[in-house]
Amino acid sequence: MANESVISAVDPEIKSEASPKVDLKVDLKANDDGYDTVHSKSPLFFDLYERKSELKHQTHYCPGCGHGVAHKLIAEALQELGLQDKTIFVSPVGCSVFAYYYFDVGNVQVAHGRAPASATGIKRSCPDKIVISYQGDGDLAAIGTAEIVHAANRGEKITVFFVNNGIYGMTGGQMAPTTLVGQKSTTSPWGRRPSNEGFPIHVAELLATLEAPAYIERVALSDNKNIMKARRAIRKALEIQRDGVGFSFVEILSPCPTIWGKDPVEARRWVLEKMTPTFPLNVFRDRRPEIPVGNEPPQRAVADVLEITPKAGARDTSKAKNGHHFQDVKIKIAGFGGQGVLLMGQLLIEMGMREGLEVSWLPSYGPEMRSGSAHCHVCLSKERIGTPLISHPDVLVAMNEYSLRKFAHEVVSGGIILYNGASVPADFYAPEQQVVAIPAAEMADKLGSTKAANIVLMGALLEETECLAPGTALSVLEDKVKKVDLLEIDRKALTAGRLFIDEQAHIGAVSQPDGFA
Ligand SMILES: Cc1ncc(C[n+]2csc(CCOP(=O)(O)OP(=O)(O)O)c2C)c(N)n1
Ligand code: SF4
């Protein structure tokens, strides 16, 4: 079998025991005994499987496992098509989690079920690459049902190889969505009953109800003839991606001798005799998707789409991209719901858009918005933003002590922490960051509304970082705050925050207990 030939191709000891005269490293040349070598290891595989230091030359798959065969067919197709250097292989959670030990291509291993979503992101950011999502049936048809359906429905130009062995292999044989009616598993020891566990899910047929997919085929690793068909289907799916046609999907019925409790030969026969009646082999889709022309998404800046135009007092947007001193600024604003945490983020991105920047805003809050904890991530950038998630902000605005303690460690070394308080707690240390305590709530209260504490801190942030122009802030406030009296308070709060930084912070109001400023 192909899997065995992979082993014997590289291990001199196994080779000499198994087939003493055949040097499988010789590529399709007649050997001494006159036979041609028809099985050999694809050069696309790494020479050694380093995961097993003591058994470097053998895979981690069980003997007779279909994953090894599927790997070989994929490797050979990539090799033949000359796609090795362009390929990014996304491996799943399941027995094939270690695919990256074998394929000498770009590799990413992702969370359970998420491979089509990750593959989508990779393909969209690197459209010239060949992106493969490789998944088992637990991964794709159970925890990852949503991901595969939506990736297929969007017609992502990726290739998905779906290894259907009717069971959860890695975790010891729980029922999968594809487990056959009557098939026993550790979680259906009586055999799957449609009345209780439902019927097997036919993923290929299900995806074929969608309009976008370009190619959907089901194949089986049951015997040589069907393996050859699988080989052709795999190659075709990759060609479809190479040619930019659309979403391609191959469901591969695959033996799992170990969990099925069968020897490798029986397991292959079982694929043909038991699986194919439920999962018929077929080409379910083979056509170029008909995407209406002229309705492509406009690749314009968000500010442009929303028709946000610069207002008087704002930074000159014609020079905006050159006028900012940063490549990007990442800000985290955290506090309790009701403190205007999310609103402050929205104001900042509105300002950013008016200054011609790319912006993102990612809110996070619990079910209890009022008084529950809330935070948001804001990114202002001269370039398109890869992710709105910010792990290490340049600036943290901590509206309360809880947020200060919880998020301070995330701030980059040399970053800024603006804390809503008269002084930082005595036992709080952030030696690598610049911490500025601002009694924002008190200041806002004196101006007429505690609610304006967020605007005091926004003024301080603008002054401290100079990331956006105060004039832009004013124009945004004028547009967004409808109540005249509140707008007046906000104006004053903005100025108060800026003045605090200018007049007090640098002469000692930076109140780290050790005097760090
Ligand atoms: C979020 C999450 N849930 C559950 C698991 C446990 N888990 C690991 S692999 C697996 C199922 C794998 O089955 P399948 O996708 O069919 O792949 P196979 O092992 O059969 O190739 C499960 C449930 C996990 N690792 N992560
Ligand atoms: S448990 Fe099944 S799927 Fe997993 S490696 Fe073994 S044979 Fe393959």
Side-chain angles (χ1 to χ4, degrees):
M1 288 187 301
N3 209 22
E4 289 165 346
S5 71
V6 166
I7 295 168
S8 48
V10 288
D11 188 327
E13 282 177 31
I14 295 174
K15 187 178 65 185
S16 59
E17 272 173 31
S19 54
K21 292 184 186 162
V22 181
D23 179 358
L24 293 176
K25 282 208 142 179
V26 180
D27 216 9
L28 294 180
K29 279 194 205 128
N31 295 302
D32 295 346
D33 55 11
Y35 290 104
D36 283 351
T37 301
V38 290
H39 287 297
S40 60
K41 179 175 166 172
S42 165
L44 193 130
F45 286 130
F46 288 118
D47 278 346
L48 296 180
Y49 301 147
E50 288 182 353
R51 174 162 169 76
K52 295 199 165 193
S53 54
E54 75 287 10
L55 293 167
K56 289 181 190 167
H57 303 305
Q58 78 180 49
T59 75
H60 76 287
Y61 294 118
C62 309
C65 175
H67 279 302
V69 182
H71 281 21
K72 185 168 161 67
L73 298 180
I74 295 168
E76 287 175 350
L78 289 170
Q79 188 68 33
E80 284 163 19
L81 296 171
L83 297 174
Q84 176 170 16
D85 292 343
K86 301 179 76 175
T87 297
I88 300 173
F89 194 101
V90 184
S91 50
V93 170
C95 282
S96 50
V97 63
F98 294 132
Y100 51 84
Y101 278 104
Y102 307 121
F103 289 93
D104 186 2
V105 296
N107 282 289
V108 181
Q109 195 279 316
V110 300
H112 208 13
R114 307 293 176 260
S118 301
T120 296
I122 295 167
K123 183 72 183 183
R124 286 192 176 205
S125 45
C126 310
D128 57 324
K129 301 289 181 242
I130 297 293
V131 182
I132 294 173
S133 172
Y134 183 101
Q135 303 178 259
D137 43 5
D139 189 83
L140 180 141
I143 194 168
T145 324
E147 280 75 5
I148 188 61
V149 169
H150 291 290
N153 192 46
R154 292 189 304 266
E156 298 297 342
K157 293 187 173 74
I158 59 173
T159 301
V160 179
F161 294 121
F162 168 44
V163 177
N164 175 0
N165 57 19
I167 205 85
Y168 289 7
M170 184 193 209
T171 42
Q174 294 84 357
M175 196 192 86
T178 46
T179 298
L180 302 180
V181 171
Q183 185 182 343
K184 290 183 179 164
S185 71
T186 57
T187 47
S188 60
W190 41 80
R192 183 178 193 158
R193 301 158 305 175
S195 59
N196 201 50
E197 288 86 43
F199 288 95
I201 294 183
H202 301 85
V203 179
E205 287 88 336
L206 192 130
L207 298 184
T209 63
L210 306 172
E211 292 185 28
Y215 179 64
I216 301 175
E217 180 164 359
R218 181 183 290 123
V219 296
L221 303 178
S222 53
D223 51 82
N224 291 348
K225 192 172 141 213
N226 274 317
I227 289 174
M228 285 305 109
K229 283 189 179 167
R231 163 188 263 272
R232 283 194 288 276
I234 286 168
R235 186 184 158 114
K236 176 154 185 179
L238 291 168
E239 284 172 334
I240 280 173
Q241 182 176 174
R242 179 199 60 191
D243 299 341
V245 178
F247 178 85
S248 55
F249 179 92
V250 182
E251 176 171 340
I252 305 169
L253 303 184
S254 173
C256 172
T258 303
I259 302 291
W260 295 353
K262 302 187 186 309
D263 70 36
V265 176
E266 280 175 332
R268 278 182 167 209
R269 199 176 309 127
W270 204 80
V271 170
L272 190 66
E273 291 174 2
K274 302 290 183 196
M275 290 186 86
T276 56
T278 297
F279 298 112
L281 308 186
N282 197 7
V283 179
F284 296 93
R285 173 68 56 81
D286 186 4
R287 60 149 169 75
R288 190 172 275 273
E290 286 172 26
I291 312 279
V293 282
N295 71 345
E296 297 81 13
Q299 293 300 328
R300 290 189 286 148
V302 177
D304 202 14
V305 175
L306 297 179
E307 296 179 356
I308 291 172
T309 47
K311 298 281 159 89
R315 201 187 291 251
D316 178 0
T317 51
S318 60
K319 291 187 255 151
K321 293 220 174 188
N322 301 324
H324 297 98
H325 62 80
F326 53 83
Q327 194 60 27
D328 59 31
V329 179
K330 302 188 185 85
I331 303 164
K332 182 164 194 159
I333 307 160
F336 290 132
Q339 285 187 308
V341 168
L342 306 187
L343 175 66
M344 181 172 160
Q346 288 172 327
L347 294 172
L348 287 169
I349 60 159
E350 176 81 21
M351 292 161 59
M353 283 193 281
R354 291 188 186 194
E355 295 200 4
L357 293 165
E358 299 283 335
V359 300
S360 66
W361 174 76
L362 183 73
S364 169
Y365 48 85
E368 61 294 279
M369 262 301 274
R370 296 272 148 210
S371 80
S373 72
H375 67 256
C376 68
H377 295 169
V378 169
C379 185
L380 308 168
S381 175
K382 290 182 184 170
E383 304 289 333
R384 285 185 75 179
I385 295 167
T387 170
L389 187 71
I390 293 172
S391 310
H392 297 292
D394 302 301
V395 184
L396 169 68
V397 179
M399 300 281 293
N400 57 26
E401 186 178 334
Y402 174 80
S403 304
L404 177 72
R405 292 189 187 278
K406 186 164 181 201
F407 298 121
H409 73 279
E410 293 180 1
V411 179
V412 295
S413 174
I416 298 164
I417 299 174
L418 300 176
Y419 173 56
N420 176 23
S423 63
V424 293
D427 62 344
F428 174 82
Y429 284 94
E432 292 183 3
Q433 289 81 17
Q434 183 179 342
V435 187
V436 185
I438 307 165
E442 259 174 62
M443 291 163 67
D445 203 26
K446 283 185 191 147
L447 293 172
S449 171
T450 322
K451 281 186 184 170
N454 60 343
I455 307 298
V456 173
L457 284 161
M458 192 170 88
L461 181 140
L462 299 185
E463 200 61 20
E464 183 64 37
T465 64
E466 297 183 340
C467 61
L468 296 161
T472 316
L474 271 178
S475 72
V476 168
L477 286 173
E478 281 159 10
D479 286 350
K480 299 289 169 190
V481 183
K482 301 295 174 209
K483 290 187 183 161
V484 180
D485 49 345
L486 195 55
L487 176 62
E488 200 42 41
I489 294 172
D490 279 348
R491 276 203 191 105
K492 288 180 186 162
L494 190 74
T495 307
R498 294 180 55 210
L499 288 177
F500 185 90
I501 294 293
D502 275 352
E503 295 173 2
Q504 299 186 52
H506 68 283
I507 53 164
V510 177
S511 34
Q512 191 99 309
D514 61 358
F516 172 87

